[in-house]
Amino acid sequence: MNVIVAPDDRAALWAALPALPVTWAWDELPEEGVTLPGSLSFEALEVAEDTFCLYMTLLKSKPFYTQLENGEGDFTDEERENPEVVIARHHDEASERLRAIVAEATRFLGEPDEQRGDASWLLEDRTISVREVQWDKETPIEVSVVLLPRGLQELP
């Protein structure tokens, strides 16, 4: 997986998340999202009507599915015949990296309130969630941190 946010920047991120000033009013959110010190910023994603989250990709796989489907890339004949093996391998790698990221976040945020592969910390005014996301089969797998309004613990 490609590192999008370096470990030193993630350490600063974990330390800043509990007190990061955020608004849950869509019209009050800056167009560029919520910027943190350094080059980090959260992107606003609408998750339901009038509800959004703040989303940041930490790690991202290479987009592999289209290459696999088109017979391109560095795949064996066996992998091309059985793409589910390749998909499972990429998800296994992402899950392993997710566990490492959760352990890293735990050093700053304490034990997660919920953990089922992904992990969530339920704070008074927000939920901090670290999770594996693949929006559809043709997009890369991402390990991301998501800030959600309190009470919303899942991306729909």
Side-chain angles (χ1 to χ4, degrees):
M1 294 191 84
N2 297 320
V3 175
I4 307 300
V5 177
D8 288 346
D9 290 335
R10 290 195 307 262
L13 171 68
W14 305 133
L17 283 179
L20 180 69
V22 295
T23 176
W24 299 114
W26 184 262
D27 57 342
E28 294 176 17
L29 190 70
E31 281 186 35
E32 64 276 3
V34 175
T35 304
L36 293 156
S39 62
L40 301 179
S41 67
F42 279 99
E43 171 186 3
L45 294 179
E46 192 167 11
V47 293
E49 190 171 332
D50 297 326
T51 305
F52 68 94
C53 71
L54 298 174
Y55 185 90
M56 182 186 301
T57 302
L58 304 175
L59 305 169
K60 183 187 281 191
S61 73
K62 294 178 181 175
F64 60 91
Y65 190 81
T66 302
Q67 287 181 336
L68 182 61
E69 208 172 48
N70 294 339
E72 302 167 352
D74 189 22
F75 299 104
T76 66
D77 289 339
E78 181 182 336
E79 290 171 328
R80 284 190 181 92
E81 290 172 12
N82 189 0
E84 297 303 316
V85 171
V86 177
I87 294 166
R89 185 176 69 233
H90 278 82
H91 277 284
D92 288 347
E93 179 188 357
S95 294
E96 183 178 314
R97 298 293 294 271
L98 173 64
R99 285 190 294 277
I101 295 286
V102 167
E104 183 182 284
T106 298
R107 288 194 293 275
F108 290 88
L109 302 171
E111 288 298 319
D113 294 296
E114 295 182 355
Q115 189 167 4
R116 299 177 310 268
D118 60 346
S120 295
W121 290 264
L122 309 176
L123 306 181
E124 186 176 319
D125 64 341
R126 68 195 72 191
T127 297
I128 300 170
S129 181
V130 178
R131 59 187 56 236
E132 177 185 329
V133 176
Q134 186 175 25
W135 299 106
D136 61 50
K137 68 180 182 180
E138 295 177 0
T139 61
I141 300 168
E142 301 175 358
V143 174
S144 303
V145 60
V146 184
L147 289 182
L148 298 154
R150 177 70 172 149
L152 185 63
Q153 297 169 7
E154 295 287 327
L155 291 173

